Amino acid sequence: MASVLVVEDDPVIRAALIEVLTGHGHAVRTAHQGFEGLREITRSPPDIVVLDLGLPDLDGLDVLRMIRGISRVPVLVATARDEETEIIRLLNAGADDYLVKPFSGGQLAARLGAVLRRSAPADDPADRRRPVRVADLSIDPTARTAHLAGRELALTKREFDLLAYLAAHADQVVSRQRILSEVWQQPYLEDQTVDVHLSALRRKMGEKARKPRLLHTVRGIGIKLVSAP
Ligand code: CA
């Protein structure tokens, strides 16, 4: 079972998608417009997104690019535009696969299953213990040490956990909400809790919020550790 976010403005198609997907045992959430879809992805990342390209508020291709700016979630695009150039553009913009409307429920379920299989993370606990390298930062979860350009950072437990989490999600914007629930395991704390630790981390890494190198704040969305400063 996967959690699927369906971004589709047409109520009839939306209802049909919900029926097929729940029929295959998936948990389905919906958004009716592009911005709403982006908000949902940030608020609570689904396992996969089914994205209609013809949305009332934003061009579907732009929505796809914006999703790729904040997340690596697999995206299956549903398009009525059955043209090769369009499909190539979609795949280049980061779609994992596409469906040309009208498509059958069986085809949707099969494509969705294939994308999910390809993108399934290797959920090997050993992976979480493996050292992570992001630019000149290296983190060893077993030894609980972090080095920046070869110099060990003196971090508190929380600072280390925060940095290790951001490194494991390098190049993705992670919301403060998600950090609070996944690092602190206390989703109801104030966002400022994250900011306090973030600024300590920044200081120790020799960075300034206004001139970030690795640790970036994306206004209104969250925080991103970048691998190519
Ligand atoms: Ca539409």
Side-chain angles (χ1 to χ4, degrees):
M1 186 201 91
S3 75
V4 185
L5 174 66
V6 169
V7 187
E8 167 67 69
D9 60 309
D10 184 317
V12 176
I13 298 177
R14 206 164 53 227
L17 292 177
I18 294 171
E19 195 184 324
V20 170
L21 294 169
T22 52
H24 280 80
H26 299 301
V28 184
R29 280 186 291 148
T30 59
H32 303 187
Q33 303 204 5
F35 275 122
E36 190 189 347
L38 288 162
R39 246 198 328 271
E40 280 298 305
I41 291 168
T42 321
R43 193 179 62 79
S44 171
D47 296 324
I48 186 166
V49 177
V50 177
L51 174 67
D52 170 37
L53 277 198
L55 294 168
D57 61 336
L58 289 171
D59 181 74
L61 195 60
D62 289 335
V63 178
L64 179 61
R65 292 199 180 105
M66 286 187 243
I67 292 175
R68 278 294 162 260
I70 58 169
S71 165
R72 289 182 190 164
V73 65
V75 178
L76 184 58
V77 165
T79 171
R81 316 168 197 176
D82 163 22
E83 288 173 20
E84 199 186 1
T85 49
E86 181 65 32
I87 288 164
I88 290 169
R89 269 183 29 207
L90 288 170
L91 295 172
N92 284 340
D96 292 86
D97 203 355
Y98 65 92
L99 289 156
V100 177
K101 289 180 179 176
F103 48 81
S104 69
Q107 193 186 131
L108 166 67
R111 296 257 181 160
L112 189 113
V115 170
L116 284 170
R117 271 196 305 281
R118 283 203 300 271
S119 64
D123 200 15
D124 177 359
D127 278 353
R128 276 177 257 140
R129 308 246 56 106
R130 220 162 267 160
V132 181
R133 249 197 109 77
V134 178
D136 51 358
L137 180 71
S138 58
I139 290 164
D140 185 339
T142 311
R144 293 189 62 85
T145 53
H147 288 79
L148 182 66
R151 178 178 64 91
E152 185 169 357
L153 299 172
L155 304 178
T156 64
K157 178 188 178 298
R158 266 310 180 224
E159 288 159 10
F160 178 84
D161 290 343
L162 174 60
L163 187 59
Y165 184 82
L166 292 172
H169 299 82
D171 298 317
Q172 298 174 46
V173 184
V174 198
S175 68
R176 289 172 178 77
Q177 182 78 65
R178 191 166 152 204
I179 291 172
L180 288 171
S181 52
E182 293 183 22
V183 180
W184 267 255
Q185 265 134 36
Q186 297 178 66
Y188 303 110
L189 289 179
E190 297 283 327
D191 285 2
Q192 285 93 315
T193 310
V194 175
D195 290 324
V196 169
H197 289 81
L198 189 67
S199 65
L201 204 49
R202 253 196 195 112
R203 205 173 50 243
K204 292 180 181 179
M205 291 170 68
E207 295 199 14
K208 293 212 161 55
R210 287 205 312 207
K211 243 190 132 190
R213 196 174 72 93
L214 298 180
L215 264 179
H216 292 248
T217 302
V218 182
R219 246 186 115 166
I221 303 184
I223 298 152
K224 173 164 78 168
L225 186 73
V226 302
S227 62

